[in-house]
Amino acid sequence: MSDSIQITDSAQDYLAELLAKQNVEGIAVRIFITQPGTPYAETCLAYCRPGEEEPSDERLELEKIAVYLDSNSVPFLEEAVVDFNADRMGGQLTIKAPNAKMPKVNADSPLEDQVNYVLHSEINPGLAAHGGEVRLVQLTEEQVAVLSFGGGCQGCAAVDITLKDGVEKTLKERIPELSGIRDITDHSDTTNAYY
């Protein structure tokens, strides 16, 4: 079994019961994280009928259920625990994924994850003081990181300097493979500016 996620017996019982009610032969559970490695990460559990899984999914055969893990989410599901707490109202399924928002990245991780990691662990905490944040919008084929500046950074006169000096320098130091950085924010909107 993948050491990335733990599904307790009570959670398996509960999920097995739910799956049985679906009356679909071979139905499984699929676990994935939307926007993994960002502050907006959400861990999701869904029914997965045969054929609905992705070819790259990791399949776990548990005692009572089968689980598919989205391959992109696996690193973020490390140390995750799916549990079921029974109570008088029937109970509640909980998913704790401590690493969903903070990825464990290394040099082998996809470039996108590495960029997100540096943004969230090093760059955004500094910008937060100004009410700003940076997001990775996309990584081009030329390995250029396209970033979006939100909050107080938008329309800030110093943003070009901040961007060029701080963010680009930090990202390139941490991730030598990056060829450059572009910014998609329109800095002519000064409604939110911080001077």
Side-chain angles (χ1 to χ4, degrees):
M1 175 174 168
S2 167
D3 55 348
S4 63
I5 186 163
Q6 184 198 345
I7 300 175
T8 64
D9 286 342
S10 57
Q12 283 187 51
D13 287 338
Y14 175 71
L15 290 168
E17 220 171 284
L18 286 183
L19 291 175
K21 288 181 186 151
Q22 303 303 305
N23 270 331
V24 176
E25 187 65 41
I27 191 167
V29 172
R30 187 166 189 269
I31 300 176
F32 57 95
I33 299 177
T34 56
Q35 301 195 51
T38 75
Y40 316 108
E42 293 287 335
T43 308
C44 308
L45 238 158
Y47 293 127
C48 188
R49 291 170 185 77
E52 287 182 340
E53 69 278 1
E54 297 288 328
S56 59
D57 280 358
E58 206 175 288
R59 185 179 161 99
L60 303 182
E61 288 292 342
L62 304 179
E63 238 169 280
K64 296 156 184 154
I65 54 172
V67 178
Y68 286 100
L69 300 179
D70 167 57
S71 62
N72 290 337
S73 303
V74 167
F76 303 97
L77 285 167
E78 248 177 61
E79 295 163 31
V81 178
V82 181
D83 195 10
F84 180 74
N85 300 321
D87 59 29
R88 287 193 307 266
M89 308 296 289
Q92 191 186 8
L93 192 71
T94 60
I95 307 176
K96 293 192 181 70
N99 296 303
K101 294 180 165 66
M102 283 308 290
K104 295 191 159 178
V105 294
N106 54 41
D108 304 330
S109 301
L111 213 49
E112 204 172 323
D113 290 355
Q114 295 186 46
V115 171
N116 274 324
Y117 184 76
V118 174
L119 288 178
H120 293 298
S121 59
E122 297 192 37
I123 291 169
N124 278 335
L127 291 174
H130 302 281
E133 65 155 4
V134 187
R135 292 191 297 116
L136 177 66
V137 179
Q138 68 174 114
L139 200 57
T140 69
E141 284 173 12
E142 299 80 48
Q143 309 295 21
V144 173
V146 181
L147 303 177
S148 146
F149 284 74
C153 298
Q154 210 171 350
C156 159
V159 77
D160 289 334
I161 305 158
T162 314
L163 169 71
K164 286 284 165 291
D165 289 2
V167 177
E168 186 156 0
K169 191 161 156 271
T170 306
L171 279 172
K172 285 185 133 166
E173 263 170 30
R174 300 282 180 275
I175 310 163
E177 301 95 305
L178 273 185
S179 56
I181 284 155
R182 270 213 311 274
D183 166 26
I184 64 157
T185 316
D186 176 11
H187 294 300
S188 56
D189 171 15
T190 53
T191 47
N192 212 344
Y194 177 103
Y195 295 105

